[in-house]
Amino acid sequence: MLIPLCTYFLWLSTSDLWTVQAKDPHTDVSTRSPHRDLAPNNVDFAFTLYRHLVASAPGKNVFISPVSISMALAMLSLGARGLTRVQLLQGLGFNLTKTSEAEIHQGFQRLRRLHGQSDTTLEMALGNALFLDRSLELLDSFSADTKHYYELEVLATDFEDWAGASRQINEYIKNKTHGKIVNLFSELNSSATLILVNYIFFKGTWAHPFDPENTREENFYVNESAVVKVPMMSQSSAIKYLKDRALPCQLVQLDYAGNGTVFFILPDEGKMDTVIAALSRDTIQRWSESLTISHVDLHIPKVSISGAYDLKAILGDMGITDLVSNGADFSGITQEARLKVSKVVHKAVLQLDEKGLKAAVPSRVTFKVASEPLAVHFNRPFVVMIFNHFTWNSLFLGRVMNPT
Ligand SMILES: *[C@@H]1O[C@H](CO)[C@@H](O)[C@H](O)[C@H]1NC(C)=O
Ligand SMILES: *[C@@H]1O[C@H](CO)[C@@H](O)[C@H](O)[C@H]1NC(C)=O
Ligand SMILES: *[C@@H]1O[C@H](CO)[C@@H](O)[C@H](O)[C@H]1NC(C)=O
Ligand SMILES: *[C@@H]1O[C@H](CO)[C@@H](O)[C@H](O)[C@H]1NC(C)=O
Ligand SMILES: *[C@@H]1O[C@H](CO)[C@@H](O)[C@H](O)[C@H]1NC(C)=O
């Protein structure tokens, strides 16, 4: 029997940024506190996974939600036994000598709660669902643990009627993602009897919107030979900026209303690989400390990027080989059947646009500075990273090669 394990993520960002926080007490990535317990492991896992994906997709856009993937796999580990269980948790970057399984799941429980709390400005939903064929019954321990730590919602599904089952799942995901992810399962006509879904919906709202009237069509230089036209949003304001001296790139950090923060990283021409190779917790930490408020004339494409992946092979390359092998032991989920993971589907969508808080008026911060603003045009391949700066977890990681 097959378990397609699906993590779906949707990220929807409206608008512009600019919360100029002079001194953000939350930027210390390495500070240990209960709400940041899992951050070091999750961020390391995020970058490792990202590098594997980037390497497997030369020249292509890449977009994932690492925290969603970590959470789904940790939840799956509750149904795994023996080596499979150890391998899953170690593959996620946990040292089981240092961190007990209970601590790991408690950490994800806190994360789910913190990320699930929506305030008035940041819309975010993060949750887990399991679609289970009527012929199967979950083991009590799996039901109890997944409910306790992950608030897993279990829905009975008739997988004999695949059309009906996919309709049910699609409807559910559509509801949970506020209509942003539709028809996730259109092409998944497999012999599944159990589907595990983790979804994230995040609607980031720029504290200060971009003015749509400033959005113009501009060139985006995909590579030496290809140029495409993209709508480019722009704004001139005071934001966190850095021309890195250690790595060949410049970056800006824009905050969303609430806890979301975005790094847009613009590698020098041809230096994308160098910059991606250097992404790490230390690099983020260094950048957070070095960014300074500058008067920047910022141009960022108004784009929608999505990524859909079957992560099975890549997770196998990263050491979670039981996901791909027949020896996997998922006997902790049900008694009836020998389960096998057939798919680890992940989908993430990013929309970048001008909109800000409904109530917010585009603020025209005029800057009294002697110098001209620094022009920063994201008109060639760039990296985008979205963090929750309260938990320092990586909500999204992307590489934009061609926005069209
Ligand atoms: C796990 O942690 C223990 C105790 O801190 C340490 O001795 C061991 O080397 C670590 N294992 C790995 C693989 O890092
Ligand atoms: C989705 O939401 C609508 C309206 O809120 C509701 O009628 C419908 O039953 C929901 N569907 C699912 C699958 O939850
Ligand atoms: C779906 O069904 C078609 C036709 O039966 C088959 O060719 C295709 O491989 C199936 N796709 C999946 C994902 O199982
Ligand atoms: C440049 O990008 C275009 C469009 O994506 C692609 O077709 C072409 O192969 C690329 N050329 C090089 C040299 O990478
Ligand atoms: C950040 O998240 C924490 C935990 O959910 C919340 O208490 C706090 O109000 C959030 N901060 C902002 C600025 O929304």
Side-chain angles (χ1 to χ4, degrees):
M1 271 185 222
L2 310 168
I3 316 177
L5 163 65
C6 307
T7 75
Y8 288 116
F9 159 59
L10 163 64
W11 131 287
L12 210 262
S13 125
T14 51
S15 313
D16 125 57
L17 52 89
W18 314 101
T19 320
V20 182
Q21 287 167 323
K23 198 66 196 155
D24 179 355
H26 298 309
T27 45
D28 188 356
V29 189
S30 56
T31 305
R32 296 209 65 111
S33 52
H35 55 272
R36 243 170 249 166
D37 269 354
L38 301 183
N41 302 85
N42 285 357
V43 171
D44 290 350
F45 172 78
F47 285 131
T48 308
L49 176 64
Y50 178 67
R51 267 191 282 277
H52 272 84
L53 271 176
V54 160
S56 72
K60 298 221 177 82
N61 295 337
V62 166
F63 195 66
I64 53 170
S65 173
V67 72
S68 171
I69 296 167
S70 291
M71 186 175 288
L73 294 176
M75 185 168 64
L76 181 67
S77 79
L78 286 170
R81 293 283 175 264
L83 263 184
T84 303
R85 183 160 176 145
V86 172
Q87 202 184 68
L88 264 171
L89 294 169
Q90 284 178 346
L92 287 171
F94 296 103
N95 179 337
L96 297 173
T97 318
K98 263 193 218 152
T99 316
S100 72
E101 278 191 53
E103 284 169 328
I104 294 170
H105 297 300
Q106 279 155 12
F108 279 108
Q109 183 183 41
R110 265 193 299 273
L111 262 191
R112 200 195 50 70
R113 287 188 183 148
L114 291 170
H115 288 188
Q117 264 167 19
S118 62
D119 50 50
T120 51
T121 52
L122 180 88
E123 273 186 60
M124 176 139 182
L126 190 156
N128 304 294
L130 178 74
F131 298 89
L132 183 72
D133 192 77
R134 292 179 202 284
S135 66
L136 295 181
E137 211 173 306
L138 294 182
L139 289 178
D140 289 345
S141 58
F142 183 75
S143 294
D145 290 348
T146 52
K147 176 92 188 127
H148 177 65
Y149 293 115
Y150 298 91
E151 282 198 20
L152 180 67
E153 203 175 331
V154 179
L155 296 107
T157 304
D158 179 7
F159 282 104
E160 302 263 292
D161 169 17
W162 181 248
S166 27
R167 233 184 350 262
Q168 181 194 3
I169 298 170
N170 287 343
E171 268 294 297
Y172 179 88
I173 303 291
K174 187 177 160 196
N175 267 17
K176 294 293 185 182
T177 60
H178 305 214
K180 297 304 177 195
I181 294 185
V182 291
N183 284 335
L184 274 189
F185 276 99
S186 53
E187 76 270 36
L188 196 78
N189 53 336
S190 70
S191 51
T193 48
L194 192 157
I195 293 183
L196 190 56
V197 176
N198 170 282
Y199 58 85
I200 296 186
F201 169 81
F202 173 43
K203 180 175 167 189
T205 305
W206 304 124
H208 305 274
F210 283 88
D211 186 342
E213 289 192 1
N214 292 339
T215 300
R216 315 229 129 77
E217 202 162 82
E218 286 179 26
N219 285 341
F220 187 97
Y221 301 89
V222 174
N223 56 35
E224 286 151 8
S225 46
V227 183
V228 296
K229 294 280 184 199
V230 295
M232 196 71 89
M233 312 186 287
S234 69
Q235 189 163 138
S236 187
S237 190
I239 54 169
K240 289 187 195 163
Y241 169 81
L242 176 69
K243 168 88 187 89
D244 201 347
R245 287 176 209 285
L247 288 170
C249 66
Q250 320 171 53
L251 59 143
V252 297
Q253 183 185 359
L254 305 179
D255 289 326
Y256 285 110
N259 281 319
T261 192
V262 189
F263 294 87
F264 288 103
I265 300 141
L266 186 66
D268 294 352
E269 262 168 69
K271 297 296 182 189
M272 177 63 87
D273 292 347
T274 312
V275 172
I276 287 181
L279 291 177
S280 68
R281 253 191 293 151
D282 289 345
T283 303
I284 306 292
Q285 178 75 43
R286 186 172 59 76
W287 283 343
S288 295
E289 288 161 2
S290 321
L291 285 153
T292 52
I293 307 265
S294 311
H295 186 196
V296 174
D297 182 19
L298 178 69
H299 293 242
I300 291 189
K302 174 177 177 171
V303 290
S304 174
I305 309 146
S306 65
Y309 310 94
D310 185 346
L311 296 175
K312 217 168 93 156
I314 279 174
L315 292 169
D317 286 349
M318 289 170 63
I320 311 181
T321 48
D322 273 9
L323 280 182
V324 274
S325 84
N326 288 327
D329 183 354
F330 289 105
S331 58
I333 299 179
T334 84
Q335 222 152 31
E336 284 93 346
R338 204 178 134 73
L339 297 167
K340 179 170 176 294
V341 172
S342 72
K343 272 189 161 52
V344 182
V345 184
H346 179 68
K347 177 159 179 164
V349 183
L350 168 68
Q351 284 178 9
L352 282 174
D353 67 17
E354 300 99 342
K355 284 176 232 126
L357 293 173
K358 279 259 160 50
V361 183
S363 55
R364 291 178 203 284
V365 186
T366 35
F367 224 61
K368 295 280 178 210
V369 278
S371 57
E372 282 292 296
L374 192 65
V376 183
H377 287 242
F378 284 78
N379 60 1
R380 60 173 185 264
F382 63 93
V383 171
V384 55
M385 308 191 294
I386 297 152
F387 283 86
N388 177 307
H389 67 60
F390 188 69
T391 65
W392 268 110
N393 266 256
S394 171
L395 302 179
F396 302 98
L397 283 182
R399 177 185 67 171
V400 180
M401 300 300 280
N402 183 345
T404 56

